[in-house]
Amino acid sequence: MLAAMNASDDARFELHDEGSVPKLCVSGAWTLSHYLALAPRIASLRGRIRPGVKIDFSALTALDTAGARLLCELVGTEGLKGALIDAALTPERRVLLETVASTPAVPIRPPARGYHFGDLLARIGKAASAFWNHTVGLLGFIGLTLEKLTRTAWRPRRWRVAATIAQLERIGFDAVPIVALLTFLIGAVVAFLGATVLTEFGATIYTVSLVSYSFLREFGVFLAAILVAGRTSSAFAAQIGSMRANEEIDAIRVLGLDPVEWLVLPRVLAMMLALPILAFIAMICGIAGGMVVCALHLNISPGMFLSLFSNDIEMRHFLVGIGKAPIFAFLIASIGCLEGFRVSGSAQSVGEHTTSAVVQSIFTVIVVDAIAALFCMEMGW
């Protein structure tokens, strides 16, 4: 019996099964380009070829790994090994077929459908593990930064004053307009909301205390930190990440310099100087926004507003608010620089870690501010 299969114009095989020993004649190019044409026809004959088949490779013009795997599927692993004993092949093709015959095929498994409860637990576990590793890495980087800062503080010759001043200009002075405008508008909104509620009780005069307390203790430093986290932390991550992608940080190490001392400390110091200034400006502008609303809608003149402010508001509220600024600044700068060092080298990695720096900074500011508020409440400050 003669079974012939013309898979394509360049790759074909014929099975002669009339004698005692079957003979398979292969011809053409058994390569990846003909895989889709050969695979279904070979699948229809799989398991139907008797053992001990002989293969004629005389008309074979080209062979690659895909074609060798198809031959192995057609005659079986043992059948291919036996056929190679007396086959007339070039050394390269013989080695290829022997390697494919001795290598087990990797089964293709279709993706599992559905979403099981175990998958949910696995995702939660991976997220918790990633969060823990991230927290440990951040704490280690904070400790390293503090150690470098302590060592450098006693060596004025190693201070990078010019770099610190340049970063101070970018972080602080360039951010003053947006911080002032935003906090002024939010101060006006807080005054509107306070007046709306307090009018029902005939206590509109306490709108002054509401605006003053909120901006001195919370809103001033909090809004300034959020703006800096989105504006500057991302810039730190992008700058250091681009340097890492371009192997500039490796070059700094080759020169015998410390990247933390040269790149991180100027940014951290500039941030710790700039954020208290921005927080103070935010407090002033927020209170000014509330004062404008009180003057226009509540008949509380600016003079009366300032008189109530000086008489009713204690200095400790200002100290509580401004005292949180250096802590926020240190954390924001550390997170931005750490995410820059974590960049793997591609443009996609730079974007991912820049986004991560912003999200982590804002999240950290909110958490630390909440902890500080609870602590101050318990302490009676």
Side-chain angles (χ1 to χ4, degrees), residues 1 38 252:
M1 180 180 66
L38 287 167
I252 292 175

Side-chain angles (χ1 to χ4, degrees), residues 3-4 15 51 85 110 139-140 165 168 178 195 220 251 269 281 323 325 339 342 373:
L15 177 62
I85 298 176
L139 293 176
I165 293 176
L168 180 62
I178 183 65
L269 291 174
I281 294 174
E339 288 302 310
R342 283 177 171 167

Side-chain angles (χ1 to χ4, degrees), residues 65-186:
T65 306
R69 175 55 61 186
L70 288 175
L71 277 174
C72 186
E73 293 178 0
L74 180 60
V75 302
T77 302
E78 297 301 326
L80 182 58
K81 290 181 179 179
L84 291 177
I85 298 176
D86 300 327
L89 283 169
T90 61
E92 294 82 3
R93 291 179 180 176
R94 180 179 295 275
V95 171
L96 175 60
L97 289 171
E98 290 176 350
T99 303
V100 172
S102 61
T103 304
V106 179
I108 301 176
R109 298 179 181 177
R113 296 182 179 180
Y115 194 79
H116 303 290
F117 183 69
D119 298 332
L120 176 61
L121 294 179
R123 289 177 65 89
I124 294 175
K126 290 180 180 178
S129 177
F131 177 78
W132 173 255
N133 294 332
H134 216 85
T135 303
V136 171
L138 177 59
L139 293 176
F141 186 78
I142 289 174
L144 178 63
T145 304
L146 289 174
E147 187 264 340
K148 297 293 183 182
L149 187 61
T150 304
R151 288 178 179 270
T152 308
W154 302 100
R155 301 175 182 178
R157 296 179 60 184
R158 302 183 65 175
W159 294 354
R160 300 195 63 214
V161 179
T164 304
I165 293 176
Q167 291 294 335
L168 180 62
E169 180 181 2
R170 299 190 190 100
I171 298 169
F173 297 144
D174 293 347
V176 168
I178 183 65
V179 171
L181 177 61
L182 180 66
T183 52
F184 180 86
L185 296 176
I186 292 180

Side-chain angles (χ1 to χ4, degrees), residues 9-312:
D9 294 337
D10 297 325
R12 66 188 66 178
F13 61 93
E14 295 179 354
L15 177 62
H16 300 269
D17 199 15
E18 296 174 348
S20 58
V21 179
K23 183 179 181 181
L24 179 67
C25 298
V26 295
S27 60
W30 283 57
T31 58
L32 182 61
S33 59
H34 302 111
Y35 183 90
L36 294 178
L38 287 167
R41 293 167 172 83
I42 289 177
S44 64
L45 291 177
R46 187 178 302 159
R48 296 170 54 186
I49 298 178
R50 290 186 295 163
V53 64
K54 290 188 176 181
I55 305 177
D56 182 8
F57 295 99
S58 59
L60 186 65
T61 59
L63 180 68
D64 63 4
T65 306
R69 175 55 61 186
L70 288 175
L71 277 174
C72 186
E73 293 178 0
L74 180 60
V75 302
T77 302
E78 297 301 326
L80 182 58
K81 290 181 179 179
L84 291 177
I85 298 176
D86 300 327
L89 283 169
T90 61
E92 294 82 3
R93 291 179 180 176
R94 180 179 295 275
V95 171
L96 175 60
L97 289 171
E98 290 176 350
T99 303
V100 172
S102 61
T103 304
V106 179
I108 301 176
R109 298 179 181 177
R113 296 182 179 180
Y115 194 79
H116 303 290
F117 183 69
D119 298 332
L120 176 61
L121 294 179
R123 289 177 65 89
I124 294 175
K126 290 180 180 178
S129 177
F131 177 78
W132 173 255
N133 294 332
H134 216 85
T135 303
V136 171
L138 177 59
L139 293 176
F141 186 78
I142 289 174
L144 178 63
T145 304
L146 289 174
E147 187 264 340
K148 297 293 183 182
L149 187 61
T150 304
R151 288 178 179 270
T152 308
W154 302 100
R155 301 175 182 178
R157 296 179 60 184
R158 302 183 65 175
W159 294 354
R160 300 195 63 214
V161 179
T164 304
I165 293 176
Q167 291 294 335
L168 180 62
E169 180 181 2
R170 299 190 190 100
I171 298 169
F173 297 144
D174 293 347
V176 168
I178 183 65
V179 171
L181 177 61
L182 180 66
T183 52
F184 180 86
L185 296 176
I186 292 180
V189 171
V190 171
F192 270 122
L193 294 176
T196 301
V197 175
L198 295 174
T199 299
E200 299 178 1
F201 303 96
T204 54
I205 196 68
Y206 290 106
T207 304
V208 177
S209 299
L210 173 65
V211 174
S212 303
Y213 276 121
S214 60
F215 272 89
L216 289 178
R217 293 185 68 97
E218 296 294 337
F219 284 169
V221 63
F222 182 75
L223 292 173
I226 292 295
L227 287 173
V228 169
R231 182 180 180 273
T232 307
S233 182
S234 59
F236 287 174
Q239 291 166 2
I240 298 179
S242 298
M243 294 179 67
R244 182 170 176 80
N246 295 330
E247 300 182 355
E248 296 178 35
I249 295 180
D250 296 332
I252 292 175
R253 290 194 177 99
V254 169
L255 292 173
L257 303 175
D258 188 354
V260 175
E261 181 178 335
W262 279 75
L263 300 177
V264 177
L265 293 188
R267 288 172 168 81
V268 170
L269 291 174
M271 181 74 80
M272 294 180 68
L273 292 173
L275 189 55
I277 298 173
L278 292 175
F280 179 76
I281 294 174
M283 294 174 185
I284 298 300
C285 293
I287 294 173
M291 184 170 59
V292 170
V293 171
C294 290
L296 295 178
H297 295 278
L298 302 179
N299 295 323
I300 300 176
S301 64
M304 184 178 180
F305 186 99
L306 294 176
S307 177
L308 292 172
F309 176 82
S310 62
N311 293 331
D312 297 341

